[in-house]
Amino acid sequence: MSLGYAEKLSFIEDVGQVGMAEFFDPSHVLQCKIEELAKMIQKSKHLVVFTGAGISTSCGIPDFRGPKGIWTLQREGKDLPKASLPFHRAMPSMTHMALVELERAGILKFVISQNVDGLHLRSGIPREKLSELHGDSFMEMCPSCGAEYLRDFEVETIGLKETSRKCSNAKCGAKLKDTVLDWEDALPPKEIDPAEKHCKIADLVLCLGTSLQITPACNLPLKCLRGGGKIVIVNLQKTPKDKKADVVIHGFVDKVVAGVMETLNMQIPPYVRIDLFQIILNQSLSRDERYINWTLRVASVHGLTSQLPFIGSVEVSFSDNHNFKDAVLDEQPFIIKRRTTETETFDIFLKINYSEGCDCLSTKITIPFKYEVSTEEHEEETIDKEAVLQSLREKAVEESSCGQSGVVERRFVSEPRSETIVYATVTNLRTFHCQQSVLANGDLRWKMEGSGTTSRKRSRTGKRKPRA
């Protein structure tokens, strides 16, 4: 897993308490607490969930202050955790997807996250019901018009700095900035204000996988107390807010949440990741007008200069009626150029080979080639993008496999002739199963399966200081 975020942060001597001991409730106590939490959620009218790094450790993302956390290992002079897969390929956990189901059911009203991994958005939590207090490593924002851009690659900077891209709004065009805060950055009002609002009216704030050491973020759950709300903390380590909580659960977050969902008789939905790429076919007459020069490019939908992190190579071949040589494009940008006569028609076959972290190996696509003179300057085919995406999700789950693809956008330009086709492709599928079994001593054990086809103290006004 990429540790770029931790490495990009400015240096600070004191990052708070690290290496904290972990505690585990006995299985029968854990089960009683799970059932109590399920009843509290069932009765709640305004549930808010507050999440920390502990909900993403099962995704392969290390935490910061645990026994093997980033800050803990750094202080001990040890090597940082090794990457288990590229950061941009991390998939939401069982907990992430359970929260999605609770939101869809109308039970969960708002999510407040201290994480920068972007997994809440990827899981399907609506943006308007999410505050990412410390930013998102995969999000860029336009400081002029406020537009947000969720990327499939990790943005190269942190600290609200300008990136190499511009706002795609034709009326704007301002330089974009990253959204991840550095130590000296204040919490943005866009994130902290709705978080405060929802905590004040919450009757239950559920804190998952957080040591509650970062201020002012760690004080947000306490705002529900004045209105009679309750706090539940699920974390392996003790926290400074435990005395304020009605229930403190020491156990793995996934295990606790799986138990709650089972008690509530609610299913945890599968996670289907869909990535987008575009194929651009440009055609032009040669100077003597005897040939058609054409260029085919497989590119990111985030701009021609952006990398495609989930594609490793592209194999190009042609239909039998043509004698073009096959090609393997193994370096980005993925571009192939050829020349043909004006009357020739043939098919271009592309085998898109996916990179590490994708469950499927490849997808095959056919591009018909035919030179035509259009009478329209610009044409755009009407496609119901959401319907295509939903169909791909349903098919992936039904077939228990990935690799399915579909066209979600098609644009034509007549002069110079260009056709752009945007494809959506299923690159990852993960389903979740929970089973409860009784041990010989009467205790309960949860068996959880996730299957696929393959802290800081932050000041709202400025400088952040770790808690003593």
Side-chain angles (χ1 to χ4, degrees):
M1 187 60 60
S2 168
L3 303 177
Y5 164 60
E7 294 168 347
K8 292 172 188 173
L9 285 168
S10 354
F11 176 76
I12 185 171
E13 184 68 29
D14 188 356
V15 294
Q17 187 177 359
V18 300
M20 297 178 292
E22 294 181 341
F23 298 87
F24 296 87
D25 290 330
S27 57
H28 65 284
V29 174
L30 181 64
Q31 182 60 28
C32 288
K33 290 182 177 181
I34 287 173
E35 292 175 0
E36 183 179 2
L37 174 57
K39 290 178 182 178
M40 295 173 73
I41 291 175
Q42 196 170 37
K43 293 179 180 179
S44 70
K45 301 298 183 183
H46 200 97
L47 170 65
V48 172
V49 171
F50 184 84
T51 66
I55 75 160
S56 296
T57 53
S58 62
C59 308
I61 302 175
D63 60 19
F64 291 94
R65 295 178 173 83
K68 296 182 180 179
I70 295 174
W71 304 141
T72 304
L73 295 177
Q74 281 185 340
R75 181 168 292 183
E76 295 173 352
K78 297 180 180 179
D79 292 335
L80 296 183
K82 299 297 182 182
S84 59
L85 77 166
F87 190 25
H88 63 271
R89 298 313 304 178
M91 289 183 284
S93 66
M94 180 178 289
T95 296
H96 286 99
M97 298 311 301
L99 296 182
V100 170
E101 184 63 19
L102 289 170
E103 187 280 324
R104 290 174 180 171
I107 298 172
L108 174 59
K109 304 301 183 183
F110 202 75
V111 176
I112 305 167
S113 177
Q114 302 168 94
N115 301 334
V116 298
D117 53 34
L119 291 179
H120 281 304
L121 275 180
R122 290 202 187 283
S123 70
I125 293 293
R127 181 67 178 100
E128 65 273 13
K129 294 186 178 182
L130 172 67
S131 280
E132 294 183 302
L133 296 178
H134 301 161
D136 187 329
S137 292
F138 300 92
M139 181 81 75
E140 290 178 286
M141 182 186 70
C142 178
S144 179
C145 69
E148 293 181 332
Y149 298 87
L150 183 62
R151 307 303 191 184
D152 53 26
F153 55 85
E154 188 177 2
V155 178
E156 61 271 22
T157 63
I158 71 165
L160 311 180
K161 299 182 181 68
E162 288 186 352
T163 66
S164 59
R165 290 160 291 278
K166 294 183 178 181
C167 180
S168 59
N169 186 335
K171 297 181 180 180
C172 182
K175 290 185 177 180
L176 300 179
K177 291 186 176 183
D178 71 74
T179 62
V180 177
L181 306 189
D182 203 345
W183 290 108
E184 302 297 323
D185 296 318
L187 295 181
K190 182 180 179 181
E191 307 298 336
I192 188 69
D193 288 349
E196 286 185 344
K197 171 189 171 183
H198 282 277
C199 284
K200 287 178 180 178
I201 62 177
D203 56 6
L204 178 60
V205 177
L206 175 58
C207 302
L208 300 176
T210 170
S211 62
L212 293 168
Q213 289 195 60
I214 308 172
T215 60
C218 70
N219 292 321
L220 286 171
L222 304 182
K223 295 184 180 296
C224 77
L225 298 177
R226 181 171 295 182
K230 297 180 179 180
I231 298 173
V232 175
I233 298 174
V234 182
N235 200 53
L236 290 178
Q237 299 90 19
K238 295 180 179 180
T239 83
K241 310 300 182 185
D242 286 357
K243 293 181 180 180
K244 300 286 186 179
D246 288 76
V247 182
V248 176
I249 304 176
H250 293 302
F252 289 111
V253 175
D254 281 350
K255 185 174 183 178
V256 172
V257 171
V260 167
M261 296 297 284
E262 180 74 11
T263 304
L264 294 174
N265 196 28
M266 298 180 70
Q267 298 294 318
I268 299 177
Y271 169 66
V272 181
R273 172 153 181 169
I274 296 180
D275 285 290
L276 303 177
F277 62 90
Q278 59 181 342
I279 294 177
I280 305 170
L281 180 60
N282 294 315
Q283 306 172 42
S284 61
L285 282 170
S286 61
R287 289 184 178 181
D288 58 10
E289 299 187 353
R290 295 175 55 193
Y291 300 99
I292 303 298
N293 298 320
W294 58 267
T295 300
L296 186 142
R297 176 195 295 261
V298 180
S300 168
V301 295
H302 304 298
L304 298 182
T305 60
S306 298
Q307 293 287 294
L308 277 165
F310 60 95
I311 296 182
S313 65
V314 178
E315 298 179 35
V316 186
S317 58
F318 304 89
S319 51
D320 294 337
N321 65 333
H322 215 283
N323 58 0
F324 284 137
K325 289 184 178 180
D326 296 347
V328 177
L329 312 177
D330 53 12
E331 291 185 3
Q332 298 195 41
F334 301 123
I335 300 175
I336 184 170
K337 297 181 179 182
R338 293 290 188 269
R339 166 181 282 195
T340 185
T341 62
E342 187 173 348
T343 58
E344 289 182 280
T345 62
F346 53 91
D347 288 330
I348 305 172
F349 304 120
L350 302 179
K351 183 181 179 185
I352 310 295
N353 297 313
Y354 297 115
S355 56
E356 180 187 7
C358 297
D359 290 335
C360 48
L361 297 176
S362 62
T363 293
K364 294 183 179 180
I365 291 173
T366 300
I367 307 294
F369 183 96
K370 182 179 181 181
Y371 184 77
E372 294 178 335
V373 178
S374 175
T375 57
E376 300 289 338
E377 288 189 6
H378 298 278
E379 300 177 57
E380 185 166 345
E381 184 178 330
T382 302
I383 298 174
D384 189 337
K385 180 178 179 179
E386 290 305 316
V388 174
L389 296 178
Q390 184 60 27
S391 176
L392 291 176
R393 294 187 189 99
E394 293 173 354
K395 190 174 182 180
V397 174
E398 180 182 351
E399 298 176 352
S400 297
S401 64
C402 56
Q404 301 84 355
S405 63
V407 176
V408 294
E409 187 177 343
R410 192 189 300 266
R411 303 186 301 272
F412 303 90
V413 178
S414 60
E415 187 60 39
R417 179 166 175 78
S418 175
E419 179 180 6
T420 300
I421 308 173
V422 178
Y423 284 87
T425 181
V426 178
T427 53
N428 289 94
L429 169 65
R430 175 165 289 181
T431 56
F432 303 96
H433 307 281
C434 309
Q435 288 184 330
Q436 191 182 46
S437 59
V438 181
L439 302 181
N441 62 0
D443 288 343
L444 294 172
R445 170 181 291 172
W446 283 97
K447 180 181 180 183
M448 297 176 293
E449 298 177 352
S451 60
T453 55
T454 56
S455 182
R456 303 164 304 200
K457 183 166 183 175
R458 191 183 304 275
S459 169
R460 183 172 183 176
T461 57
K463 188 176 291 187
R464 296 177 290 152
K465 299 178 181 178
R467 181 184 297 276

